[in-house]
Amino acid sequence: MASRLNPYISFDGDARPAMEFYKEVFGGTLNLTTFGESGAAGTPEADQIMHGMLETPSGFTLMGADTPPGMEYSPGGNFSVSLSGDDETELRGYWEKLSAGGTVSVPLEKQMWGDVFGMCTDRFGIPWMVNIAQAQE
């Protein structure tokens, strides 16, 4: 397997619905492994997600998990997930789904550098940036 760079998001007990939501947005194959399947059967966190990975038809990989007991949950603030490219239809579709039920901080519109760009926080508290590159003339 080639090296890859992708976001890994920690959740506060809602990794399963969040990762299933991202699968609805991006499509692809979602694999989820619970703490119970990984040796913590019979514990309060047995049904929570120890590791989740979504691999999409567009080549995106998104990983996530519930924060294990004893570790501090610190949402957002220190990262954003960035989607960029020149397929306006695809990227606008992602934007519509990600921003639905969330908060838009920068509307998806043409910016001073010429691209269409927007920032939102989805309903799970994850910040997203979408940049649609404009054709060079």
Side-chain angles (χ1 to χ4, degrees):
M1 174 188 355
S3 298
R4 60 181 155 188
L5 177 67
N6 59 272
Y8 201 114
I9 304 171
S10 296
F11 296 94
D12 192 21
D14 58 356
R16 181 182 301 276
M19 295 299 288
E20 289 171 346
F21 169 69
Y22 299 136
K23 182 180 188 296
E24 289 175 22
V25 171
F26 300 113
T29 303
L30 176 62
N31 292 303
L32 300 173
T33 304
T34 65
F35 286 103
E37 293 168 322
S38 301
T43 64
E45 61 275 2
D47 291 330
Q48 290 188 344
I49 303 303
M50 187 211 62
H51 177 71
M53 183 167 77
L54 175 64
E55 293 181 291
T56 76
S58 294
F60 305 152
T61 299
L62 181 63
M63 296 181 186
D66 288 309
T67 304
M71 291 184 68
E72 183 179 342
Y73 173 68
S74 305
N78 62 342
F79 79 98
S80 292
V81 182
S82 175
L83 291 172
S84 58
D86 59 7
D87 187 330
E88 186 164 358
T89 301
E90 179 181 50
L91 290 164
R92 281 189 182 277
Y94 295 150
W95 171 265
E96 291 303 318
K97 292 174 184 176
L98 290 166
S99 62
T103 304
V104 173
S105 54
V106 176
L108 186 65
E109 58 191 24
K110 190 166 183 121
Q111 301 296 323
M112 64 182 168
W113 61 88
D115 291 351
V116 173
F117 175 83
M119 294 174 62
C120 68
T121 301
D122 72 22
R123 62 185 177 156
F124 293 99
I126 305 304
W128 293 85
M129 299 182 298
V130 175
N131 191 86
I132 304 169
Q134 299 303 294
Q136 301 298 325
E137 298 176 14

